[in-house]
């Protein structure tokens, strides 16, 4: 049999290619363009090669921001994932209670980022904010503008409040897809609640949890508006996360070359972490399925 | 170990799911619950298991009242229509799970898991995970989990429905062999009369939450207590034709008249409903005394190597179960034969008043 090769079908991907070019490749290339040049004005520019990249990688302020960013993302994941699973487990399963709980849980997700920041800004004020005032009345000298620990704790609390719902909703839908017969079978086996969670619910949640953790990681790694509104990155630079450092550099100082280089590094970090995480999880599942 | 249900009602939100159920299952018996969807089979099993409690009535195990006792404190196991196993555990750990929870020693667990696995022909799959297996193998694993703990009552809720035809036949035979060696009460729910017949044992015919009849399977099949039991326990359903019995003659809707044999002469003359099994009607006479009947073809349904022929005349419809593949033109006339000796008769309330003579003595 002679196989007939007809490569005309390749033309069919042309529209997709153009779309991707306009939406991703071209904007990205302008960034690449800036990252290897020092631009003075429309007519004056010098080629700098990897100079900006070296500078960025060796900048102690940025290194600190990267570490801060990882610390933040890992902390909120460590809190939001178990908490979200816990909330999903205790959410009512049917009737009006289920609808009420769903609406209640979804509420924080519907609030825009900078509104969340503003809400918490007011909430934590010592003079009129419920939380700030209460803490002070209780004798704790709470101040997010001068105490880095308070600022950190508040930002983490704010993110947990804003985003735990996402994990909870994903897990809730995952739990609802487990047929009732599994629970019955477990009851007949006299399995404990822990065993039901460990051997039925958790395995069935793996897929939604992978998506949840990935989304939350990427999301939190790009966090900008909330801390910007709440603390402005302070006190000092204790809550200045990556995207805020980048904004200050690109918009505030007009350092286009360094910020372009930095953007690319930032992008690669997210890409790398996401890829490592995804591959690790997929390999884990494959191993599990092999029964190894 | 015997299981008694006494005057059981189960009402959920004003809807009666089980009504006035009385049933006694003997130790070591194999019992089939036969009924259509929503006839109450699953509800009844849940009551037997202790997953639900009855609204009224008592459940007794070995004479002991266990009505309010939860499933955790009864020694029962259950196999479902879906293949239910712990997804992240191996087949071995799945089968071992009830024993581990019962704190059985390691060596004993190993011995029992392996012997059950061998019996179910999955001993070579013990290291695999359920989702890597075929449907049949998954169900065998679930069956292993149910059998390994030597439960007093093993409930099987349509366990073979999701398997293909060939596997089902194979599985069915094995099931009977497996349970014949055990002293537990097996309860098997099915919607298919043929499956009940193939499994044997005892059959309880359920309809709309009520028990129509209970007894040895062949007995229930041959001697239905009333019209509904006869309809439920036949596929295609037994043909019911209104007719009149007068001294020496039966007439079906005044169209077909035939002489009454000696067996029916004891019945009082009057209006009856007569039942003829679909498989007792044929295209050629099987005996000289067979009655001929002229009908018109509605549809010939071919299923495997059998044909279900739907026919009518101006007064009634019938379904005929023919061996082999037969093709018929729609609306073509057809001449059919049946034996007057194989006719059932039911009174106007549906109770059986006449059973074919040759079936009475079995």
């Amino acid at each position: 049999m002679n196989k007939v090769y007809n490569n005309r079908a390749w033309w069919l991907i042309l529209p997709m290619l153009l779309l991707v070019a306009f939406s991703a490749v071209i904007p990205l290339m302008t960034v690449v363009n800036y990252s290897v040049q020092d631009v003075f004005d429309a007519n004056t520019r010098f080629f700098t090669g990897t100079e900006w990249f070296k500078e960025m990688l060796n900048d102690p302020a940025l290194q600190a921001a990267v570490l801060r960013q990882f610390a933040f993302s890992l902390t909120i994941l460590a809190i939001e994932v178990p908490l979200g699973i816990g909330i999903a487990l205790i959410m009512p399963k049917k009737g009006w209670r289920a609808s009420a709980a769903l609406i209640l849980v979804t509420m924080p997700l519907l609030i825009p980022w900078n509104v969340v920041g503003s809400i918490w800004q007011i909430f934590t004020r010592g003079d009129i904010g419920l939380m700030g005032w209460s803490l002070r009345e209780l004798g704790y000298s709470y101040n997010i503008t001068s105490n880095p620990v308070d600022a950190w704790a508040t930002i983490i609390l704010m993110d947990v409040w804003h985003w735990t719902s996402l994990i909870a909703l994903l897990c809730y839908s995952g739990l609802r897809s487990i047929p009732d017969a599994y629970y019955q079978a477990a009851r007949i086996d006299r399995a404990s609640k822990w065993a039901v969670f460990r051997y039925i619910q958790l395995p069935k949640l793996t897929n939604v949890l992978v998506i949840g953790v990935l989304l939350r990681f990427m999301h939190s790694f790009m966090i900008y508006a909330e801390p910007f509104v709440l603390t402005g990155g302070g006190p000092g630079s204790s809550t200045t996360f990556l995207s805020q450092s980048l904004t200050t550099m690109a918009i505030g100082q007009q350092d286009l070359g360094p910020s372009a280089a930095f953007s690319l590094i930032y992008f690669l970090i997210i890409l790398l972490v996401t890829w490592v995480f995804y591959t690790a999880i997929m390999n884990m599942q494959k191993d599990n399925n092999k029964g190894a | 170990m015997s299981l008694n249900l006494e005057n059981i009602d189960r009402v959920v939100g004003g809807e009666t799911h089980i009504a006035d159920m009385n049933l006694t299952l003997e130790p070591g018996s194999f019992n089939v619950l036969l009924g259509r969807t929503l006839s109450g089979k699953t509800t009844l099993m849940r009551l037997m298991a202790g997953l639900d409690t009855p609204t009224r009535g008592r459940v007794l195990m070995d004479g002991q009242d266990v009505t309010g006792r939860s499933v955790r404190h009864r020694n029962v196991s259950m196999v479902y229509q879906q293949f239910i196993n712990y997804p992240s555990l191996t087949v071995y750990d799945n089968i071992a799970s009830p024993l581990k929870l019962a704190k059985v020693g390691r060596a004993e667990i190993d011995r029992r898991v392996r012997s059950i696995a061998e019996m179910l022909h999955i001993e070579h799959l013990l290291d695999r995970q359920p989702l890597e297996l075929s449907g049949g193998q998954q169900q065998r694993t679930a069956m292993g989990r149910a059998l390994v703990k030597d439960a007093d009552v093993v409930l099987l809720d349509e366990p073979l429905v999701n398997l293909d035809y060939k596997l089902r036949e194979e599985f069915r035979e094995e099931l009977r062999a497996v349970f014949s060696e055990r002293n537990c009460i097996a309860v098997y729910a099915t919607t298919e009369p043929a499956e009940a017949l193939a499994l044997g044992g005892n059959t309880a015919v359920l309809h709309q939450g009520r028990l129509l009849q209970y007894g040895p399977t062949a007995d229930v099949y041959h001697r239905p207590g009333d019209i509904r039991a006869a309809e439920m326990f036949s596929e295609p359903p037994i043909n019911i034709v209104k007719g009149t019995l007068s001294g020496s003659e039966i007439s079906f809707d005044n169209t077909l008249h035939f002489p009454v044999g000696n067996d029916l002469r004891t019945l009082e003359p009057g209006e009856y409903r007569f039942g003829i099994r679909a498989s007792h009607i044929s295209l050629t006479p099987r005996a000289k005394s067979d009655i001929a009947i002229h009908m018109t073809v509605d549809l010939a349904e071919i299923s495997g190597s059998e044909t279900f022929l739907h026919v009518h005349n101006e007064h009634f419809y019938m379904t005929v179960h023919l061996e082999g593949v037969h093709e018929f033109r729609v609306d073509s006339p057809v001449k059919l034969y049946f034996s007057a000796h194989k006719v059932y008769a039911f009174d106007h309330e549906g109770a059986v008043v006449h059973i074919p003579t040759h079936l009475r003595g079995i």
Side-chain angles (χ1 to χ4, degrees), chain B residues 1-32:
Chain B
M1 188 73 202
S2 68
L3 180 67
N4 282 27
L5 304 182
E6 288 183 3
N7 311 317
I8 298 276
D9 282 351
R10 165 90 179 153
V11 182
V12 181
E15 264 182 63
T16 304
H17 290 193
I18 292 287
D20 202 26
M21 181 71 61
N22 282 288
L23 194 59
T24 301
L25 305 180
E26 296 300 329
S29 61
F30 192 93
N31 306 281
V32 179

Side-chain angles (χ1 to χ4, degrees), chain B residues 42-61:
Chain B
T42 302
T43 313
L44 194 57
M45 286 193 153
R46 292 177 58 98
L47 289 170
M48 288 176 177
L51 286 163
D52 291 332
T53 47
T55 316
R56 187 180 70 97
R58 298 199 303 163
V59 181
L60 304 175
M61 274 187 173

